[in-house]
Amino acid sequence: MSVTSPYLLLTLVALPGAVGIYLLAERRRMRYAVRYTNVDVLAAVTGGREWRRYVAPALFLLALATLCVAVARPRVASIVTSDKATVVLVLDVSGSMHSSDVKPSRLAAAQKSIHLFLARAPKRLRVGLILFAAEPEVATPPTTDHKLVAEAVNQAGEFQGFGGTAIGDALAVAVRVGLQAVNGQRQPAAVTTQRANGLVSILFLSDGRQNRGTLTPLQGAARARDAGIPIYTVALGTNGSSFNFSVTSQPGGFNGGFTMVSPNGPFPSFAGLDPDPQTLRKIAQLTGGQFYRAKTAGAAEAAYRKLGSSIGRRHGTTEVTSAFLAGALVLLVLGGGVSALRAPKLP
């Protein structure tokens, strides 16, 4: 425990003075004691164990000590939420997210998991949402209105980002949005020298491997590392999965050959359906975050529930002056009650 105003702890020197005054009053009572010959009656009036007479003074003394500590504004170590703490959610909404290997689908499982995160996140935590496929788009800027973010999550299936998965570009946009949230100004698209000072985290969920975009995944992660932003990655899905789509033999597909037509546009190859846990693990390690592998909806929900209880919080101190004042009041009431009960009652 620490105190905001340590010099006010000097008020504790009043305690020895209070003890001295009490002892002086006791000696004065002894000097004016009267002689009483009937010892049995005297015992009935003042009966009881000797130590009980000191209970009430001890409670009053403890109350005084508590008040002296309270005026110094004590603080205790705790987990606190900064007013500028920001989490940028990055959700992959490419065509492969409609795969049903994670029930009812990867996208539906991801949406439910994010709702669990929002339910656990501190109310003051600012949360933003970025949706991406072949290109990223800011669905909601960082805000404390978690209901607004939840509505955007529900509409993630309507996002039209063309086919493919641009992990590196999505991370770069997330870094820019996070820095803008804590620094209060618009950030350039290029690498910035500004840092987040531990106030920004990125929560990234994807089921595929990169096959679109300008930046590689590790290049995007390097921007987060340089800005001091940890990335928590979740690899959703299982290997060898599939989903319903139609195949056309359109020439000029990505890397040549055929293309797969999905609700979000052409998809490059069957391999794009499998998650890439190795890359997502490297992203987390490079930036000081954590990696989670979620092969089931339950695993994804557990990861997001845990992250919702930890991200956006940091070690700090909380003032507990009111608790000390309440404790002093309770001690005063107890001391008064004991004193009233111990008051002699003449027969």
Side-chain angles (χ1 to χ4, degrees), residues 62-331:
L62 187 57
L64 180 61
T66 305
L67 287 173
C68 291
V69 176
V71 298
R73 299 174 60 187
R75 309 181 71 89
V76 296
S78 63
I79 302 298
V80 298
T81 303
S82 170
D83 289 332
K84 283 191 174 183
T86 301
V87 170
V88 182
L89 298 170
V90 184
L91 176 61
D92 183 354
V93 291
S94 58
S96 59
M97 288 292 286
H98 294 275
S99 174
S100 59
D101 60 325
V102 178
K103 303 297 181 182
S105 70
R106 293 178 181 178
L107 180 58
Q111 289 171 315
K112 184 178 180 181
S113 300
I114 292 177
H115 285 304
L116 289 175
F117 172 85
L118 294 174
R120 288 291 188 95
K123 301 301 181 183
R124 292 191 298 167
L125 180 67
R126 294 191 293 183
V127 181
L129 176 65
I130 293 176
L131 305 176
F132 78 98
E135 59 184 24
E137 180 177 309
V138 179
T140 59
T143 175
T144 55
D145 188 352
H146 295 176
K147 290 184 179 180
L148 179 64
V149 180
E151 292 175 0
V153 171
N154 290 334
Q155 299 172 2
E158 303 173 8
F159 176 76
Q160 298 295 326
F162 305 103
T165 305
I167 293 176
D169 292 354
L171 292 177
V173 172
V175 171
R176 189 167 69 248
V177 169
L179 289 176
Q180 180 180 344
V182 298
N183 294 319
Q185 57 185 2
R186 190 171 185 82
Q187 301 296 325
V191 177
T192 176
T193 58
Q194 298 199 30
R195 294 181 61 83
N197 298 319
L199 296 175
V200 179
S201 301
I202 295 175
L203 184 49
F204 183 89
L205 188 147
S206 177
D207 72 335
R209 59 189 69 242
Q210 170 131 335
N211 46 40
R212 287 288 192 275
T214 303
L215 299 176
T216 67
L218 294 185
Q219 285 175 333
R223 293 195 179 186
R225 178 202 59 197
D226 295 340
I229 300 176
I231 302 177
Y232 300 82
T233 58
V234 179
L236 183 63
T238 59
N239 293 332
S241 56
S242 62
F243 70 112
N244 295 326
F245 53 85
S246 60
V247 179
T248 65
S249 58
Q250 299 172 356
F254 180 74
N255 287 337
F258 64 86
T259 61
M260 298 189 298
V261 179
S262 72
N264 284 340
F267 211 84
S269 66
F270 287 91
L273 295 175
D274 293 338
D276 185 7
Q278 291 77 17
T279 297
L280 296 187
R281 182 181 285 107
K282 290 178 181 178
I283 290 173
Q285 293 174 345
L286 181 64
T287 60
Q290 290 181 323
F291 166 77
Y292 299 88
R293 180 68 190 273
K295 296 183 179 181
T296 64
E301 292 171 10
Y304 271 72
R305 189 181 292 109
K306 179 180 179 180
L307 291 170
S309 301
S310 58
I311 290 183
R313 295 178 172 91
R314 58 181 177 83
H315 293 284
T317 58
T318 302
E319 186 171 333
V320 291
T321 300
S322 58
F324 274 78
L325 291 175
L329 178 60
V330 170
L331 291 171

Side-chain angles (χ1 to χ4, degrees), residues 22 51 95 117 333 342:
Y22 173 76
W51 61 268
F117 172 85
V333 172
R342 290 292 302 162

